[in-house]
Amino acid sequence: MGSALNAASEELTGAPSVRLSPGLVQWLGENALELDTGASLSDELLPRLAEEGLFRLGLKEDLSDFGEAVRSVVAVAEHSLTAAFVLWGQRTFIEYLRNVQDPAMRERYLPSLLDGRLAGSTGLSNAIKFLGGIEGLQLQARPDQGQWRFEGRLPWVTNLRRDSFLVAVVAGMPDEQVGIWAFEHGDAGLQRSEDLELVGLRGSSTAALTFDGVRVGRERLMHANAAEFVRAVRPRFMALQCGMTMGLARRSLQLVLQAPRRQWVQEQPARRLLARIEELADILIGAASKPGSVPPPDLFRVRIELSALAAEAVSLESSVTGGAAYLDGKHPQLLRRYREALFVPLITPTVAQLKAELGPDAA
């Protein structure tokens, strides 16, 4: 079924996509609900994505193949947004390593991230909000006997596998400097909460982090200028992030076009939305592959539009299903996609934050 949907998607849009192995497609199909509503498979998810080789896509130095990384997120999101969320977090952290100031950090962490032994958590929600003037810094760092001491709390961080995570965070430093730092799961004073009580995406290892006098050396400083770092990684960050939304929307639209009871009032919008999603994918991949080619406001508008398209796509799917969609237990996967579509505009930077930053030009 999953392979047929992949093939149908290519036929309908005329666009190539990353082909997942039948084994991964089957596993995601059988476990998408459990990944959404429970945490029993959270430790198994990252290794499965690594075995598929998904973390190794799009790594050419000139970014000419970066579209493969984006389309891998799309392909996984067609089956499970939780799995795509974890893939996005891991793959985005790998992108961060392109921009670290000390190459030794890249050499130290990259092999374990690529093979899934170490979970990479982006952790930069606070950085993006701080740089957008939305909230203050939640972590502060100060020199302490030749090291740096960190205090603060991050309330929401994804891909925090209990025994093997690496997280990037933003922290205020003396003289108004703001840097990006990396922390490991075993750092003394770093406390991970229990998984958050989410309404969905429960298999994404999402928790809070408390920094209670955590001390690390300057070798953990990823970049001394947070604003410069975020500007550099933002096109790739957003392209990978939007892959989740595109995959979710595409799956609903594929199901609409395969439904025997569909009518032209559903088929035509579905085809139109699929074509528009592919246009937006090209914009995102182009922006990520050619830094500086697309200004940030245009990327924000793409993210906003995709969020609306995902909601429209899931609604269209429910219109084909009809009243049976509201019968308990009859269409749990559709209801899962509704929960996923509800989450899409809340991912940092949220759609509301992006519209606020765009101001009157948000429309």
Side-chain angles (χ1 to χ4, degrees):
M1 179 66 169
S3 298
L5 282 173
N6 282 344
S9 174
E10 293 180 17
E11 179 183 351
L12 292 167
T13 64
S17 65
V18 170
R19 301 298 294 271
L20 304 179
S21 70
L24 180 60
V25 169
Q26 180 178 353
W27 187 83
L28 291 173
E30 292 174 349
N31 295 294
L33 279 177
E34 174 56 27
L35 289 170
D36 185 59
T37 60
S40 66
L41 298 173
S42 56
D43 287 341
E44 188 176 348
L45 176 56
L46 196 71
R48 282 191 174 270
L49 297 175
E51 289 169 7
E52 191 79 3
L54 299 180
F55 304 144
R56 299 177 181 273
L57 297 177
L59 291 178
K60 287 184 179 179
E61 189 173 349
D62 64 0
L63 298 173
S64 60
D65 64 340
F66 191 74
E68 294 180 10
V70 176
R71 293 196 182 280
S72 72
V73 179
V74 175
V76 171
E78 289 182 4
H79 304 283
S80 164
L81 196 74
T82 301
F85 197 27
V86 168
L87 171 57
W88 167 75
Q90 186 84 357
R91 191 57 187 78
T92 298
F93 199 105
I94 290 169
E95 286 305 304
Y96 290 171
L97 292 180
R98 291 189 197 256
N99 291 84
V100 293
Q101 292 180 322
D102 182 3
M105 180 177 286
R106 181 164 51 248
E107 296 169 5
R108 183 163 67 248
Y109 292 127
L110 185 58
S112 296
L113 290 166
L114 290 175
D115 66 17
R117 286 181 290 127
L118 183 64
S121 180
T122 66
L124 293 187
S125 173
N126 183 223
I128 293 171
K129 292 176 182 177
F130 170 74
L131 294 172
I134 296 170
E135 70 180 19
L137 290 171
Q138 295 171 331
L139 292 181
Q140 295 294 327
R142 62 179 177 82
D144 184 5
Q145 300 179 5
Q147 292 187 306
W148 288 82
R149 183 183 179 93
F150 293 79
E151 302 283 350
R153 186 175 186 273
L154 299 177
W156 176 301
V157 188
T158 295
N159 203 23
L160 288 176
R161 293 187 72 196
R162 291 182 180 276
D163 60 350
S164 59
F165 68 78
L166 176 70
V167 60
V169 305
V170 62
M173 301 162 66
D175 301 322
E176 299 185 350
Q177 185 179 6
V178 180
I180 305 293
W181 294 77
F183 293 87
E184 300 177 3
H185 69 279
D187 289 336
L190 182 59
Q191 303 166 15
R192 181 198 189 277
S193 73
E194 294 299 315
D195 288 355
L196 300 182
E197 297 289 335
L198 306 177
V199 299
L201 296 105
R202 295 291 295 273
S204 60
S205 297
T206 299
L209 283 178
T210 299
F211 294 73
D212 185 10
V214 181
R215 296 176 63 198
V216 298
R218 195 173 177 84
E219 73 277 1
R220 295 285 193 87
L221 181 63
M222 300 180 73
H223 203 286
N225 188 321
E228 182 180 314
F229 182 85
V230 169
R231 280 195 300 271
V233 302
R234 180 162 47 194
R236 285 167 282 150
F237 175 104
M238 294 196 69
L240 291 166
Q241 186 182 70
C242 287
M244 293 187 283
T245 309
M246 290 187 285
L248 166 61
R250 280 163 61 102
R251 182 55 177 261
S252 283
L253 297 171
Q254 292 160 16
L255 291 170
V256 169
L257 293 173
Q258 291 178 353
R261 293 186 297 162
R262 74 174 187 270
Q263 301 174 352
W264 68 269
V265 293
Q266 295 153 337
E267 179 176 347
Q268 295 306 310
R271 293 188 180 279
R272 172 180 57 80
L273 292 178
L274 275 171
R276 181 55 179 162
I277 288 169
E278 198 53 45
E279 291 173 357
L280 296 176
D282 288 342
I283 293 173
L284 288 165
I285 292 171
S289 303
K290 299 176 181 178
S293 61
V294 179
D298 288 346
L299 292 177
F300 298 166
R301 293 186 184 93
V302 170
R303 165 74 194 289
I304 292 168
E305 182 177 353
L306 280 171
S307 179
L309 290 182
E312 188 175 352
V314 177
S315 178
L316 199 61
E317 181 189 350
S318 69
S319 75
V320 172
T321 305
Y326 211 67
L327 293 174
D328 188 29
K330 290 295 185 180
H331 292 277
Q333 302 291 356
L334 171 57
L335 295 181
R336 170 178 60 83
R337 283 187 283 277
Y338 260 112
R339 289 192 295 272
E340 294 173 346
L342 177 65
F343 176 67
V344 161
L346 303 178
I347 305 171
T348 300
T350 70
V351 166
Q353 291 163 3
L354 294 176
K355 286 183 176 179
E357 189 159 342
L358 290 173
D361 297 328

